[in-house]
Amino acid sequence: MTKLREEHPTASEARKLSIESEFFCAFPNSFADMERLFGFDMKTGVAAPLYDFPAGMETILFFSNLKSIESSQYYNRYIDINIGGYWQADNIGGAFALGKRFRDDPDQFCKQLAKRTDDELLSVFRFMYDSPHPDQMKKGFAEFQSDLSSKDKRLGQLLQTAYAKLLADYDGHGK
C-alpha cells in the first residue's frame, strides 16, 4: 500500500508536494539573501520583511524540515545559504538549523558537504557555532565533531579547525 501511495499520491499529498516545491524554489539561495529577508540592518535600523522572530523563525524551520525535495538539491541549497554566514541577534544564527539536518540524514549530508571546497566548509562550520558565546557550545560541538568525523575524516578536521579559529577569535565578551 505504501508503494502505491508513493506512485499515486492523493490530491492533498500532491498539493502538499506542490506547495513545498514552490516554497523551496522561492527560498533564498545565499546568506546575503537570507539577511535581506530575515535580518536587521544595524546601519539603517531597518528590519527585513521576515525579521519578526516568530514569523521568521517559523519560515526558517519550515525550510529546515522539508522532506519532499530531492536530497542533493536540498542540501546544496542549504549549504549555499550558510556560506559566508555569521551570527546576528535575530533569526540569523545556528546556521539555520543545519546541524539538525545532519542528525536527520547524516550520509546524504556528508555526501553533499564532501563536494565542497575547504574554504566553503570552514565558512559553513564556523557559522554553525558562531554566537555571542561559542565557548559555551563545547559539548554540542564535541558530539557533532565525533559524529561527523566517523562519517568523513576531512569534514571532521575542517569542523575542528573552524571551531578552534572561532574560539581563538572570541574575546570572551560576545564579540
Side-chain angles (χ1 to χ4, degrees), residues 39-173:
F40 186 88
D41 188 326
M42 295 298 286
K43 293 176 188 165
T44 64
V46 175
L50 291 175
Y51 171 76
D52 177 28
F53 183 75
M57 186 53 68
E58 287 174 14
T59 304
I60 291 168
L61 289 175
F62 185 79
F63 175 80
S64 72
N65 288 307
L66 289 175
K67 303 282 191 235
S68 63
I69 307 302
E70 192 272 321
S71 295
S72 65
Q73 184 181 13
Y74 178 79
Y75 284 113
N76 281 322
R77 170 79 55 92
Y78 218 138
I79 294 164
D80 286 346
I81 65 174
N82 282 282
I83 294 171
Y86 57 91
W87 180 87
Q88 297 176 38
D90 51 29
N91 289 315
I92 298 180
F96 307 110
L98 188 63
K100 178 191 178 306
R101 287 307 297 210
F102 170 79
R103 288 186 302 276
D104 290 349
D105 189 5
D107 293 332
Q108 190 57 239
F109 181 90
C110 288
K111 181 179 177 182
Q112 297 309 314
L113 282 174
K115 295 177 182 179
R116 298 304 182 115
T117 68
D118 288 2
D119 286 342
E120 289 173 324
L121 293 169
L122 289 168
S123 177
V124 169
F125 291 149
R126 180 182 176 97
F127 183 38
M128 287 181 76
Y129 292 96
D130 193 10
S131 73
H133 302 286
D135 59 322
Q136 295 177 6
M137 302 174 137
K138 287 180 181 175
K139 182 179 183 220
F141 164 79
E143 291 170 5
F144 181 59
Q145 203 274 334
S146 175
D147 292 344
L148 189 61
S149 291
S150 72
K151 296 284 182 193
D152 186 304
K153 299 265 186 248
R154 173 181 165 250
L155 296 177
Q157 183 57 52
L158 289 167
L159 175 63
Q160 177 70 42
T161 300
Y163 188 63
K165 173 117 176 62
L166 181 64
L167 290 178
D169 294 345
Y170 174 61
D171 70 0
H173 298 288

